[in-house]
Amino acid sequence: MRRIKKEAIEKKLKELAKDYRIFAPMNGDVKETGGEFEECFPRLSGKCAFLPPEEEILRYKDGKVEETPEDKPIILFGIRPCDARAISLIELAMRDEKFPDVYFLRKKEKGIIISIACKEPGDTCFCTSFGHGPFSTQGSDALLVEKDDYYLVLGNEKFFKLFGEGEEAREEDKEYFEEAKKRAEEKIEKIPVDNLGEKLLSRIEDPVWEKISRKCLNCGACTFLCPTCYCFDIQDLERSWGVSRRRYWDSCMFSIYTKEASGHNPRPTHRERVRNRIMHKFSYYPYLYGEFGCTGCGRCVVYCPVNFDIREVLKILGGSG
Amino acid sequence: MIERIREEARKAFEEGKIEILIGFGRGTLRATPIFIEKKEDVDKLIWDDTCWINLATYLRRFRGKKTGIVAKGCDARSVVALIAEKQLKREDVYIIGVPCQGMKNEKGEEFLSCRYCEYPTPPVYDVLVGEKREGKKENYPDVSEFESMPPEKRWEFFSEEAKKCIRCYACREACPMCYCEECFVDSLDPRWLEPGLSLSSLQFWHLVRAYHQAGRCSDCGACERACPMDVKILYLTRKLNKEVRELFGFVTGLDPEALPPLGTYSTEDKEEFIL
C-alpha cells in the first residue's frame, strides 16, 4: 500500500487531460471532464466511458468504408469499486471469443480505471452479496482510500507509472484501511445468492414471474443506469455526405427490443421481459461467464419509478423471502 | 383513511364488483403499486404522501376484467380520459376515489403538480373515501413564468432540459395516456426520429410527446417524477393544457362523455393560432 497526496493526484489528472480522455463523476453523473471530478456516487455509471450511450463505429463515404479511428486513451477516475467491477463484468461478454467487441476492447485495453473506496455505502447497496465489497479492487488499476489530505493507494504498475509512487503507507494507514473497510462492509445488506442460477432456471415457468413483474412499466431506466447492462442496437443513418453506422444503448425492457420483422414478439409482455432481465444477470451470465451480471450498486432500486426492488425479487426467487 | 379504503375494497370484492384491484402497498423506498386478487389481501393496501404513481397507467392491461382502482383526483381524471378515448369501458372500471392530500418527494416537498392541483377530489368515482377537498385556482402561475421569458431564453431552457434525457422512456411508460401500440419514436418505417442523444432528436422527442398530450393530460406529474434524469416536463404539458382550456374551454377527465379536442372538430373552433 502506498500513500499519495490528494493534490498531487488531482494536479496530475488535470495534466493528463492533454493525452487522455478523462471521465469522472461530475454534477452527479459520470461524464467527460477536463480532469475535474466530484466525490459522489454518480447516477450515470462508469460504463459511459467505455460504452457510451451513442457512438459512431464506421462511415460509408464516397463509395468507401472508413472505420472510426481510435480516440485518445481513457482514464476513468473517481468511480466506486462497484462500477469498476461492473466494467470487468461487461468485458467478459465483450471478450466472448465468438463475438469479440473491438470497439469496447480497444478502449478498455488502453484505458485506466481508478476507483475511490466507498466509505459510506447507501441503504440500497448490496455489493457484498457477490463476494466483493465497497473496498473491492476487481476491475480497478488503482483503488484510492481517502485519508485526510492523502489517498491510500492499492494500485498496479500502470497506475504508479502515470501518477507517481508517493511514499510507503504507514502502519496506522493500514489499520485505518482495514477499519474503514470493515465499517463500510458492516453497513451493507447481504442477499443470499447460493445456487441462485440453478434456482432461477428451475423456476422459469413459475407463475410467480407474473406477480413479480406486474408493476414493471417496461421503461429502460434500470438498464440504462445499470453499470453492467451493455445491450446496444446498431443503425445506419443517412447523412448528407453518406452513411454513419452508429450504436446506441438498447434495453431488454423495451417491447421493440425483441420484435421481429414479421411482427412476432417472443417476449410479448412485461412478464417475459422482466424474467429475461433477472435471468440474464443471475442465471445466464454465471452459466456463460462464471460471474453474476450484477454488482449490487442499487441504482435500479433507487431510480425505478415504481419501486421495483431487485433485492426483494432475489429473495423471493432464491427462496429466502 | 386507509381503513376506509380497505373497507370499500373488501366490499367491492364481496359484492362481485371487482375481480382485481390496483392500489398502493408498502414498498421498500416508498409506496409501490400492488394488484389485489382476493379480499383477504386488502389489508396490504396503504395510503400516504408517496403514492405518486398514476395507477391508471396499468388499467389497459386488465381490459375485459372488472378492475378496481384506488384513484387520486388525477388518476381518476386519467381513467375518464381513457374512457372518453374508448380505451376502457366505464362499466369495467370501479373507481375508489380518494380526495388527495398532495404528494411529496423524499425531502418532504410537495410536487409542483400537487401544489397547483385543481382537482384533488376525483370528479368521477363509484365510491368516495373521505371528505371532498377543494382544489386550488391559481391559473398556472408556473406556466405564466415560463411564458414571460423571451423566446430565446425559453428555447435555451427547453434545450437544457431536453439535453438531460437518456431516452429511457420512463415518462412515456408512467403516463396512462401514452398507450400507442407503436410509439412514433419506435417506428422504423417510416422512421420519424433517429435514435441517439443528439440535441435535435431529444428536442423532437420532448416536443412531440408534449403535443400528443394536449387536452389529454391530467396534470398528474407522474412523467416528471418517473424521470431518473430529473428532466422537467410539466412546463410543456401544462402549457398545452392551459392553451386547450383557453381555446376550447376543455378540461381533461371531468366527463367521460365529453369529446376531447384532439378527437373532434367543430366549425366554431378558434383559429387564431393558425398563421
Side-chain angles (χ1 to χ4, degrees):
Chain A
M1 190 186 297
R2 311 289 302 176
R3 66 190 336 249
I4 305 178
K5 277 229 160 194
K6 268 189 186 173
E7 56 184 36
I9 287 189
E10 284 161 14
K11 192 169 156 243
K12 191 72 202 172
L13 197 61
K14 287 200 180 121
E15 282 169 27
L16 288 167
K18 273 204 310 286
D19 303 316
Y20 289 82
R21 297 178 71 195
I22 315 280
F23 286 82
M26 202 62 207
N27 302 324
D29 294 309
V30 168
K31 52 183 72 155
E32 194 161 1
T33 78
E36 302 80 21
F37 70 97
E38 183 180 79
E39 169 57 31
C40 73
F41 175 61
R43 174 178 51 184
L44 284 180
S45 77
K47 81 173 171 189
C48 299
F50 295 95
L51 188 69
E54 172 174 2
E55 69 182 325
E56 184 174 73
I57 55 181
L58 60 83
R59 288 179 173 200
Y60 183 74
K61 206 172 155 188
D62 305 325
K64 284 198 293 278
V65 171
E66 295 171 13
E67 290 254 14
T68 304
E70 259 183 88
D71 209 332
K72 290 191 283 193
I74 290 169
I75 295 178
L76 174 57
F77 187 92
I79 50 165
R80 299 276 196 249
C82 49
D83 275 14
R85 221 192 131 224
I87 293 164
S88 75
L89 295 176
I90 293 181
E91 191 174 351
L92 296 172
M94 295 302 195
R95 243 181 228 295
D96 192 310
E97 59 188 16
K98 281 180 287 190
F99 312 102
D101 187 290
V102 293
Y103 310 102
F104 176 89
L105 291 174
R106 69 185 186 188
K107 282 191 219 139
K108 181 66 187 38
E109 270 152 24
K110 294 195 178 131
I112 294 183
I113 299 176
I114 300 152
S115 55
I116 296 180
C118 182
K119 288 199 283 193
E120 298 290 339
D123 297 338
T124 46
C125 295
F126 58 110
C127 56
T128 51
S129 310
F130 305 107
H132 293 266
F135 281 57
S136 167
T137 54
Q138 189 191 335
S140 300
D141 290 290
L143 171 75
L144 314 183
V145 184
E146 281 187 295
K147 187 186 177 227
D148 309 322
D149 52 351
Y150 280 86
Y151 283 119
L152 310 179
V153 186
L154 290 176
N156 61 18
E157 212 178 300
K158 224 167 153 185
F159 171 83
F160 290 122
K161 238 169 108 183
L162 272 186
F163 286 86
E165 298 202 3
E167 51 188 272
E168 181 67 34
R170 300 164 193 169
E171 212 40 53
E172 72 213 46
D173 293 335
K174 288 176 193 161
E175 278 166 27
Y176 178 86
F177 180 95
E178 288 306 325
E179 265 171 44
K181 178 168 181 265
K182 197 170 153 243
R183 222 179 15 249
E185 281 174 356
E186 277 169 359
K187 282 190 188 155
I188 297 170
E189 184 193 10
K190 223 170 176 170
I191 314 278
V193 294
D194 298 338
N195 299 320
L196 188 59
E198 289 80 37
K199 282 180 191 163
L200 288 178
L201 213 52
S202 71
R203 298 182 75 174
I204 195 157
E205 292 299 339
D206 197 311
V208 76
W209 287 108
E210 170 60 28
K211 285 222 160 83
I212 287 170
S213 63
R214 247 179 195 171
K215 67 179 168 188
C216 175
L217 297 170
N218 280 156
C219 75
C222 52
T223 54
F224 284 1
L225 298 185
C226 174
T228 66
C229 275
Y230 56 85
C231 282
F232 56 83
D233 186 20
I234 294 179
Q235 293 200 26
D236 287 347
L237 301 181
E238 260 183 89
R239 293 290 180 258
S240 56
W241 44 260
V243 172
S244 169
R245 176 166 295 176
R246 308 172 81 80
R247 75 163 163 192
Y248 308 91
W249 284 353
D250 201 351
S251 169
C252 61
M253 292 287 96
F254 297 152
S255 69
I256 194 177
Y257 180 84
T258 42
K259 194 171 170 190
E260 296 166 7
S262 65
H264 172 67
N265 195 337
R267 290 187 206 140
T269 74
H270 51 280
R271 172 182 169 270
E272 294 81 18
R273 298 196 276 271
V274 168
R275 183 175 65 182
N276 178 71
R277 181 165 80 91
I278 306 289
M279 293 294 289
H280 186 217
K281 289 186 178 304
F282 300 101
S283 187
Y284 312 150
Y285 223 68
Y287 173 75
L288 288 169
Y289 307 117
E291 296 253 30
F292 289 114
C294 171
T295 62
C297 75
R299 286 186 181 86
C300 60
V301 180
V302 175
Y303 295 104
C304 175
V306 298
N307 194 202
F308 181 101
D309 191 325
I310 203 164
R311 298 171 300 175
E312 301 300 301
V313 172
L314 295 182
K315 285 179 201 165
I316 293 169
L317 292 164
S320 64
Chain B
M1 177 74 84
I2 186 54
E3 280 313 318
R4 294 275 322 273
I5 297 174
R6 289 173 184 163
E7 191 186 308
E8 289 301 336
R10 195 174 296 118
K11 226 162 55 187
F13 274 111
E14 281 167 357
E15 290 169 6
K17 288 182 175 139
I18 53 173
E19 296 162 77
I20 189 158
L21 174 72
I22 312 172
F24 287 98
R26 183 134 347 261
T28 55
L29 302 181
R30 55 178 180 272
T32 190
I34 56 169
F35 305 87
I36 292 177
E37 285 167 291
K38 48 185 197 291
K39 69 172 182 185
E40 290 73 25
D41 286 342
V42 299
D43 289 336
K44 290 182 182 163
L45 289 167
I46 65 148
W47 187 259
D48 63 19
D49 52 21
T50 68
C51 297
W52 56 251
I53 277 291
N54 186 332
L55 294 179
T57 199
Y58 294 106
L59 275 175
R60 290 175 73 260
R61 291 191 188 175
F62 302 103
R63 277 194 290 190
K65 256 188 173 175
K66 299 277 181 206
T67 309
I69 180 169
V70 178
K72 312 181 277 290
C74 49
D75 301 35
R77 287 174 61 210
S78 296
V79 176
V80 170
L82 286 166
I83 293 166
E85 293 184 12
K86 309 243 182 302
Q87 295 304 307
L88 300 170
K89 290 188 182 135
R90 178 68 187 92
E91 60 271 26
D92 285 348
V93 187
Y94 185 80
I95 303 173
I96 300 179
V98 184
C100 177
Q101 73 283 7
M103 295 295 153
K104 291 177 180 156
N105 65 16
E106 62 275 14
K107 291 183 207 140
E109 302 155 345
E110 194 170 41
F111 293 114
L112 184 136
S113 54
C114 308
R115 214 179 310 147
Y116 301 127
C117 176
E118 283 183 75
Y119 300 96
T121 303
V124 175
Y125 51 80
D126 293 284
V127 57
L128 190 69
V129 175
E131 291 299 313
K132 286 189 180 176
R133 282 176 191 265
E134 281 299 311
K136 290 152 200 152
K137 299 265 171 269
E138 296 195 48
N139 200 23
Y140 299 95
D142 52 320
V143 176
S144 306
E145 198 187 317
F146 178 68
E147 286 169 338
S148 70
M149 287 154 75
E152 59 276 15
K153 283 276 165 213
R154 288 204 299 259
W155 184 249
E156 195 186 309
F157 180 86
F158 165 63
S159 302
E160 286 304 313
E161 288 303 319
K163 257 187 216 167
K164 298 189 218 161
C165 174
I166 54 172
R167 289 177 74 173
C168 72
Y169 303 126
C171 50
R172 176 181 78 184
E173 302 305 330
C175 176
M177 305 315 288
C178 271
Y179 59 72
C180 288
E181 285 301 322
E182 185 182 61
C183 179
F184 75 98
V185 295
D186 290 334
S187 165
L188 292 174
D189 185 19
R191 178 150 67 193
W192 304 110
L193 178 56
E194 285 187 353
L197 306 184
S198 70
L199 179 59
S200 60
S201 289
L202 297 175
Q203 288 167 330
F204 193 94
W205 157 242
H206 285 272
L207 273 187
V208 177
R209 196 191 91 90
Y211 269 119
H212 282 156
Q213 293 291 339
R216 305 175 61 237
C217 161
S218 75
D219 279 342
C220 75
C223 51
E224 198 170 282
R225 302 198 277 275
C227 177
M229 302 306 290
D230 299 323
V231 180
K232 290 196 178 75
I233 301 171
L234 292 181
Y235 73 99
L236 288 176
T237 51
R238 284 171 56 81
K239 162 77 177 158
L240 287 161
N241 284 344
K242 182 176 174 235
E243 300 265 298
V244 165
R245 181 180 298 198
E246 284 164 7
L247 289 165
F248 304 101
F250 183 85
V251 177
T252 307
L254 301 183
D255 173 5
E257 304 295 325
L259 289 171
L262 279 184
T264 184
Y265 171 76
S266 147
T267 51
E268 311 304 314
D269 284 347
K270 288 187 185 171
E271 291 180 343
E272 64 248 47
F273 57 93
I274 296 171
L275 294 173

